[in-house]
Amino acid sequence: MSRSGQMEHETLIEMSATTDGEDGNGPFFETNSNIDSDNPGISEGLSSTESTFLINNHQRIDKHHQSKDSVFFRDGLRRIDFVLSYTDDPNKETDKKKAERRKEFESNLIKTGLELETEDKKESESGKIYFIKIHAPWDVLSTYAEVLGIKVPIKENDIDPPRENPLDCLLKPFKLPNHVMYPEPDYFTAAFSKQKQELFLINDQNTFFSPATRNRIVYYILSRCPYGTEEGKKKFGIKRLQNNGTYTSAYPLHDCQYWKKAKEELCHSERFTLYSQWAKFARFYKEQPLDLIRKYYGEKIGIYFAWLGYYTEMLFYAAVVGFFCFLYGWITMDDNLGSKEICSPDIGGQIIMCPLCDKTCEFWKLNTTCEPSRYSHMFDNVATLFFAIFMGIWVTLFLEFWKRRQARLEYEWDLVDFEEEQQQLQLRPEYEVKCTQKRKNPVTQEMEPYLPITSKAARFCFSGATVLFWISLIIASMIAVIVYRLAVYAAFASIMENNDALRPVSSLLTPQLATSVTASCLNFIIIMILNFLYERVAIWITDMEIPRTHLEYENRLTMKMFLFQFVNYYSSCFYVAFFKGKFVGYPAEYTYMFNVWRNEECDPAGCLIELTTQLTIVMAGKQIWGNIQEAIVPYILNWWGSRKARNNPEDLYSRWEQDYDLQTFGPLGLFYEYLEMVIQFGFITLFVASFPLAPLLALLNNILEIRVDSWKLTTQFRRPIASKAHSIGVWQEILNGMAVLSVVTNAFIVAFTSDMIPRLVYFYAYTENMDSRMSGYINSSLSFFDVVDFSNDSMPIENEMNITTCRYRDYRYPPDHGRKYLHTMQYWHILAAKMAFIIIMEHVVFVVKFFVAWLIPDVPSEVKARIKREKYLTQKILHEYELCKWQEKLREKSNCAEVAKQVFASKGKVQLSAAM
């Protein structure tokens, strides 16, 4: 980063590394000794507890002259760009030390050119909190805008807008007014330069930089401002001061109350516009004002809502197809020959099934599972295969078209050629404090702290072991739920058989269904408890690793949290889909877990209905609980925190205190939002073959999610510090990985969890009735067992019907066959068909996915043309500006030969730009 030029009043902002006495390589501030004391806010004698400040005319301002519900200093002219708060007890020794830090910190802020105004604690509602209001004048803003490379308007966009779509009139009810959707004209932009201010379209210095840009610049200064030396090391940064309790909070202000516009004419009341046009649930069918969101909250939050909106938009198509697939299953439910045979008194009523547990369970008739088998057909039918293939292609289209949408936003929001901003790539204060060793950076040739490889390896090993321990804990909890299922099944069976009150619902509420539902609810409770605990552990072990930069910290925490939640949320679904009923054995030789509990069996209609139940409970429960956490909890906390202040007159309840009473949207606020949506994305892709209505549930949740997120951000949280982001970051790679995995999981679900492949094999190879090919399928899928072959541990205690032969779900030879209880050829044919189906489906879907990905370019051609046009015009304007400057110098006739060379070079640059 190049050094900034000299500021007015001889104030120099040094953007270099700290000296050897400092604790890191963050930039610090130096101030020339001959500061002009007449400049407002630069007098060094001001303390943090003064209640009034001098302004340009050195007149004291009456602090009650102006309403406190304002975003301006008491003069009504200087905008409040940031607020710091603290409590102070002079009698405490620790508070004296904090006061010294504050005095040094605020003195250094004043030296950088920031202007401060303090509200005494007597003016606060509690009588304990001081508020320091910070204003960044033009000189500071222009200096740091150049340092941060902020792009500003240089010329109105002269590219013709895209042609109007004839169908736009049909979409008019879903549109927002133009002044809401496009709060600013479209400009070509260039990185700001303080020395070339006349190039930019500066109409008013007070409004040229948006409030979001202003608070971003101020936070950049706050995060680097030193506040003293401790233990021989220079300390700096507002974050560290918050961690040690010197300040209780640091935040930018909302521009007005969300339910009404601000009284000041200079306030645009964008918060009110966002609330009325975006955050109200009644506007759920309207498009999102992404440009206004970006202008008010910054690009990082804007890109999240853009992604969430696009994801919801694409879910609509998946939900429609999934609904029709479900509708097909519901319509054909009564025509399903398999469930008819199970429900028939002459077929299902005559088939006696082997007990589902040892000793205490009795023999049972197949037609007792009549209703579950009928409902299973709604999800286990030929449409399941079609929907699984469709979703494999849908997820590719979603990811590829999102890349195009993202590329368009990058251009419109001036993020082309954007690199992670300094705020993300700078060294974390924790890294600088804990890394005591230093070495020379090969790029900057400056000394910087580093973590020795031995320490780094030890920390990684401990971190990995901790993550593995918690994943093992998840697996242990899942095994505990499985043991619960095995242990309580017999109890449910006994209760339902001997309880006359439950007989009316016995056809719907079977022991299998009761066990499945209660186990799923128990599993959901365990999932939420483990999430609550691991969230804190993940943050702790990530802190312990001491990541070097903020970006590295976020990426490491993301991978830990996602890996844990992936196992936590999906492990039970993987068990039901791929393990339950697959390793049961047969009645003469059952398989036992830990040699104690007999492994579970699937219903005669298959395990798919149970996977659907598990998926529905976990997915719906997570979404309901997530919305309660996001909406109701912040509302209650804010209501309780501001209960006293609500009784005050509006002009005495200050804007900074109103925002202080709100919840904090921390640096990991968006992290949890992305994590929630990515976990949901897994539910609708990894297991969608078992539940075609999953995209519909996700769509309904996301329609609510957008409004809940916008409502809480607009009304319940302090205004977040604006920051830039050109993409959704590491989440893009996670989504790509889940998209590939979803093809594999859905192929295995169709092959091994559903009954589709066994039915197809029977239909084409084993049917005995050519007029009704599926008749006899149920009888074909059940094997015979002689009850005398039961082991002593498995033999039922009661056999009142004197059953001699029972049936079980498998393809094995009968007891009177020479290959008694061995697998039949039909079993091997079905297994071969399943493996062939998996290979064919995976290859077909992968070929289509990669072809679609190759066919769709990541950046639209129109956007490419606009980017080239903007680069050309920017270079041309800058080179022409340089040419004019050199020509002026040439006319001054000073050093004519050198100036003539520069004029010639500038003309060449202009010609080169035109040629390019």
Side-chain angles (χ1 to χ4, degrees):
M1 181 183 297
S2 61
R3 296 175 184 265
S4 61
Q6 233 182 3
M7 295 176 57
E8 285 183 37
H9 315 294
E10 303 297 327
T11 301
L12 179 67
I13 300 177
E14 189 70 35
M15 305 302 296
S16 64
T18 54
T19 60
D20 291 340
E22 298 171 19
D23 69 337
N25 71 337
F28 68 98
F29 305 89
E30 291 182 1
T31 307
N32 196 303
S33 58
N34 59 343
I35 296 175
D36 185 357
S37 60
D38 291 335
N39 192 39
I42 305 189
S43 178
E44 293 193 37
L46 299 174
S47 71
S48 64
T49 57
E50 290 175 340
S51 61
T52 57
F53 269 68
L54 295 177
I55 59 171
N56 286 336
N57 58 6
H58 289 259
Q59 296 297 315
R60 234 175 241 282
I61 304 227
D62 182 2
K63 59 187 176 185
H64 296 296
H65 175 70
Q66 184 190 13
S67 169
K68 284 192 166 188
D69 186 23
S70 170
V71 292
F72 293 94
F73 275 22
R74 298 191 189 100
D75 58 8
L77 299 175
R78 293 175 292 170
R79 188 183 188 95
I80 302 171
D81 297 313
F82 227 87
V83 174
L84 307 178
S85 68
Y86 66 91
T87 57
D88 187 26
D89 186 353
N91 298 322
K92 289 184 179 180
E93 188 63 32
T94 55
D95 281 10
K96 290 180 181 179
K97 193 170 184 179
K98 292 176 183 177
E100 292 174 3
R101 292 181 190 142
R102 281 193 295 269
K103 184 175 181 180
E104 179 71 17
F105 184 71
E106 290 161 25
S107 175
N108 286 332
L109 290 179
I110 293 170
K111 290 175 185 177
T112 66
L114 294 178
E115 300 173 8
L116 311 182
E117 185 176 79
T118 303
E119 291 288 330
D120 193 85
K121 65 181 180 180
K122 297 176 183 178
E123 301 293 328
S124 69
E125 177 60 35
S126 65
K128 299 177 181 178
I129 305 172
Y130 293 91
F131 292 96
I132 301 174
K133 298 172 286 185
I134 302 176
H135 168 74
W138 171 257
D139 202 40
V140 173
L141 293 173
S142 59
T143 299
Y144 281 95
E146 183 173 4
V147 169
L148 293 174
I150 293 173
K151 290 188 175 181
V152 294
I154 195 171
K155 185 181 187 299
E156 288 190 14
N157 193 334
D158 61 357
I159 299 178
D160 294 332
R163 296 179 181 177
E164 290 188 5
N165 191 333
L167 299 178
D168 279 350
C169 58
L170 300 177
L171 301 176
K172 194 172 182 180
F174 306 101
K175 299 287 187 180
L176 288 172
N178 277 339
H179 75 275
V180 177
M181 284 300 297
Y182 309 105
E184 294 178 325
D186 192 12
Y187 294 107
F188 290 131
T189 60
F192 185 81
S193 173
K194 191 176 180 182
Q195 286 73 33
K196 303 174 183 177
Q197 293 186 31
E198 58 268 28
L199 279 176
F200 305 104
L201 304 180
I202 304 175
N203 297 322
D204 184 355
Q205 291 184 350
N206 293 323
T207 59
F208 181 66
F209 293 109
S210 68
T213 302
R214 296 173 71 101
N215 76 58
R216 179 180 157 216
I217 289 174
V218 173
Y219 185 73
Y220 183 87
I221 298 172
L222 291 173
S223 63
R224 288 158 176 76
C225 183
Y227 60 84
T229 302
E230 297 177 8
E231 299 177 358
K233 298 177 182 178
K234 198 162 188 176
K235 305 290 184 178
F236 60 89
I238 185 63
K239 186 176 180 182
R240 194 175 295 162
L241 288 171
Q242 286 182 266
N243 290 340
N244 61 32
T246 304
Y247 290 100
T248 56
S249 61
Y251 55 94
L253 290 181
H254 284 293
D255 62 356
C256 66
Q257 294 172 330
Y258 67 85
W259 63 85
K260 68 175 185 178
K261 292 184 177 181
K263 297 177 181 178
E264 293 99 344
E265 294 181 0
L266 296 176
C267 232
H268 295 157
S269 300
E270 291 171 346
R271 185 190 189 192
F272 169 78
T273 304
L274 286 169
Y275 173 72
S276 59
Q277 300 290 341
W278 177 51
K280 287 185 176 180
F281 185 75
R283 318 288 287 183
F284 75 91
Y285 61 94
K286 295 284 189 179
E287 60 185 337
Q288 296 189 87
L290 294 178
D291 286 350
L292 185 58
I293 296 169
R294 172 246 182 170
K295 181 185 176 187
Y296 192 76
Y297 291 115
E299 287 80 2
K300 193 170 186 178
I301 290 178
I303 206 80
Y304 163 72
F305 280 103
W307 176 82
L308 180 57
Y310 183 72
Y311 171 45
T312 305
E313 182 183 324
M314 289 294 290
L315 273 176
F316 172 78
Y317 305 106
V320 169
V321 176
F323 177 76
F324 279 109
C325 288
F326 171 79
L327 200 61
Y328 169 82
W330 182 65
I331 292 172
T332 60
M333 183 171 62
D334 294 331
D335 300 328
N336 179 33
L337 195 56
S339 60
K340 281 184 177 180
E341 290 185 349
I342 291 175
C343 296
S344 170
D346 298 328
I347 302 176
Q350 301 302 316
I351 295 177
I352 305 299
M353 301 296 293
C354 296
L356 292 173
C357 65
D358 294 337
K359 293 188 177 182
T360 56
C361 290
E362 299 178 355
F363 296 97
W364 53 285
K365 292 184 178 181
L366 181 61
N367 65 351
T368 58
T369 61
C370 172
E371 291 302 321
S373 68
R374 292 180 70 246
Y375 295 135
S376 178
H377 176 74
M378 289 193 295
F379 306 103
D380 191 0
N381 53 69
V382 68
T384 301
L385 173 60
F386 165 76
F387 192 57
I389 295 174
F390 168 80
M391 286 302 292
I393 299 171
W394 173 89
V395 72
T396 303
L397 292 173
F398 163 64
L399 294 173
E400 292 302 318
F401 282 122
W402 165 246
K403 290 178 185 176
R404 292 170 62 84
R405 178 73 64 90
Q406 188 171 264
R408 190 178 298 277
L409 288 175
E410 284 182 25
Y411 166 72
E412 293 175 354
W413 292 355
D414 299 321
L415 299 171
V416 178
D417 300 327
F418 168 79
E419 296 180 0
E420 296 297 337
E421 65 178 286
Q422 191 72 14
Q423 186 175 324
Q424 287 291 316
L425 293 177
Q426 68 169 332
L427 297 182
R428 297 172 63 243
E430 296 83 355
Y431 181 84
E432 299 175 70
V433 170
K434 295 178 181 178
C435 298
T436 56
Q437 301 186 39
K438 292 189 176 184
R439 65 180 178 187
K440 183 178 288 188
N441 187 310
V443 177
T444 63
Q445 293 297 304
E446 295 173 350
M447 298 300 291
E448 66 177 21
Y450 83 103
L451 192 64
I453 188 67
T454 52
S455 176
K456 187 180 294 186
R459 292 171 187 274
F460 277 147
C461 289
F462 179 79
S463 175
T466 305
V467 173
L468 288 176
F469 168 77
W470 278 86
I471 290 176
S472 302
L473 196 61
I474 295 172
I475 296 172
S477 67
M478 185 187 71
I479 293 173
V481 173
I482 295 171
V483 170
Y484 164 85
R485 301 166 75 109
L486 300 175
V488 303
Y489 176 80
F492 278 125
S494 176
I495 291 171
M496 291 180 179
E497 287 174 4
N498 302 321
N499 194 328
D500 294 335
L502 295 176
R503 291 193 184 280
V505 295
S506 60
S507 60
L508 293 173
L509 188 62
T510 62
Q512 294 97 321
L513 182 61
T515 303
S516 176
V517 170
T518 56
S520 298
C521 292
L522 177 62
N523 183 66
F524 174 72
I525 293 171
I526 292 174
I527 285 173
M528 302 314 295
I529 293 173
L530 289 175
N531 267 353
F532 176 80
L533 297 174
Y534 181 77
E535 180 180 310
R536 287 146 183 79
V537 173
I539 294 174
W540 174 70
I541 59 177
T542 306
D543 288 338
M544 184 271 303
E545 290 177 6
I546 319 180
R548 187 172 184 272
T549 65
H550 294 279
L551 185 63
E552 191 177 332
Y553 181 91
E554 286 187 11
N555 289 344
R556 289 190 190 179
L557 182 61
T558 297
M559 295 309 299
K560 288 183 183 65
M561 286 294 293
F562 173 75
L563 179 62
F564 176 84
Q565 294 217 9
F566 182 92
V567 178
N568 198 20
Y569 279 107
Y570 304 143
S571 57
S572 58
C573 293
F574 272 102
Y575 164 73
V576 175
F578 305 124
F579 295 97
K580 184 181 177 182
K582 308 300 187 294
F583 309 100
V584 177
Y586 63 99
E589 194 176 334
Y590 282 123
T591 305
Y592 290 82
M593 178 182 289
F594 307 126
N595 293 322
V596 178
W597 295 284
R598 199 175 101 188
N599 285 351
E600 286 185 282
E601 298 180 44
C602 291
D603 284 335
C607 272
L608 198 68
I609 187 66
E610 189 166 343
L611 177 58
T612 303
T613 304
Q614 178 79 24
L615 185 65
T616 305
I617 291 174
V618 175
M619 180 179 175
K622 181 186 182 303
Q623 293 180 166
I624 293 170
W625 178 250
N627 286 323
I628 290 173
Q629 276 187 313
E630 291 184 16
I632 298 177
V633 173
Y635 177 80
I636 293 174
L637 292 175
N638 287 336
W639 175 84
W640 182 256
S642 61
R643 63 193 184 283
K644 293 182 180 179
R646 287 193 298 272
N647 299 323
N648 285 345
E650 188 175 285
D651 59 347
L652 295 181
Y653 188 26
S654 64
R655 160 68 29 219
W656 43 91
E657 197 161 7
Q658 291 176 41
D659 285 11
Y660 179 82
D661 289 337
L662 298 177
Q663 299 300 300
T664 302
F665 192 80
L668 296 178
L670 280 184
F671 166 80
Y672 294 112
E673 301 296 341
Y674 275 118
L675 184 61
E676 178 187 3
M677 288 296 102
V678 169
I679 293 297
Q680 183 204 82
F681 181 81
F683 281 124
I684 69 161
T685 54
L686 296 177
F687 307 102
V688 74
S690 68
F691 190 35
L693 291 180
L696 180 60
L697 285 183
L699 174 65
L700 297 176
N701 174 78
N702 286 10
I703 291 173
L704 179 63
E705 179 76 20
I706 290 175
R707 303 305 156 180
V708 168
D709 285 351
S710 59
W711 174 81
K712 73 178 185 182
L713 201 60
T714 308
T715 66
Q716 304 301 310
F717 283 86
R718 295 173 187 166
R719 186 174 185 170
I721 300 164
S723 60
K724 284 184 175 289
H726 69 293
S727 69
I728 61 175
V730 71
W731 299 108
Q732 182 79 36
E733 300 305 318
I734 291 175
L735 292 174
N736 288 333
M738 295 181 75
V740 173
L741 181 61
S742 68
V743 177
V744 179
T745 56
N746 283 299
F748 272 86
I749 287 173
V750 173
F752 285 97
T753 310
S754 80
D755 254 11
M756 181 174 295
I757 302 301
R759 287 199 299 263
L760 289 175
V761 171
Y762 180 84
F763 183 89
Y764 288 107
Y766 288 91
T767 184
E768 296 177 357
N769 186 347
M770 301 306 293
D771 295 329
S772 179
R773 284 181 168 271
M774 288 306 296
S775 62
Y777 166 72
I778 295 298
N779 187 61
S780 171
S781 66
L782 300 174
S783 299
F784 290 89
F785 182 76
D786 192 338
V787 297
V788 299
D789 293 328
F790 271 121
S791 65
N792 292 332
D793 294 332
S794 302
M795 178 67 75
I797 297 174
E798 298 180 2
N799 187 0
E800 297 177 355
M801 295 184 291
N802 294 320
I803 304 298
T804 58
T805 304
C806 63
R807 310 289 294 274
Y808 60 99
R809 181 182 169 84
D810 207 344
Y811 296 93
R812 292 179 183 270
Y813 289 108
D816 58 354
H817 194 277
R819 305 187 66 187
K820 179 179 178 180
Y821 301 142
L822 296 177
H823 285 120
T824 64
M825 284 303 298
Q826 187 175 354
Y827 169 85
W828 298 109
H829 287 162
I830 291 172
L831 182 61
K834 288 179 177 180
M835 300 307 296
F837 169 81
I838 290 171
I839 294 171
I840 292 171
M841 178 179 170
E842 285 183 357
H843 281 70
V844 168
V845 175
F846 277 133
V847 167
V848 174
K849 278 171 62 69
F850 291 130
F851 176 73
V852 169
W854 171 81
L855 191 65
I856 302 174
D858 291 348
V859 183
S861 56
E862 170 212 350
V863 173
K864 287 182 180 178
R866 286 172 175 262
I867 292 172
K868 290 179 180 178
R869 170 69 177 166
E870 182 163 347
K871 283 185 176 180
Y872 160 70
L873 283 176
T874 302
Q875 290 176 354
K876 182 180 178 182
I877 292 170
L878 291 174
H879 293 159
E880 286 179 347
Y881 173 81
E882 290 179 5
L883 179 60
C884 291
K885 287 293 184 182
W886 285 112
Q887 286 177 338
E888 288 177 5
K889 289 186 177 182
L890 184 61
R891 283 193 289 270
E892 293 173 2
K893 297 181 180 180
S894 60
N895 197 4
C896 295
E898 181 63 28
V899 172
K901 290 180 182 179
Q902 295 295 340
V903 170
F904 181 77
S906 297
K907 287 181 178 179
K909 290 178 182 178
V910 173
Q911 294 172 358
L912 180 60
S913 295
M916 292 176 64

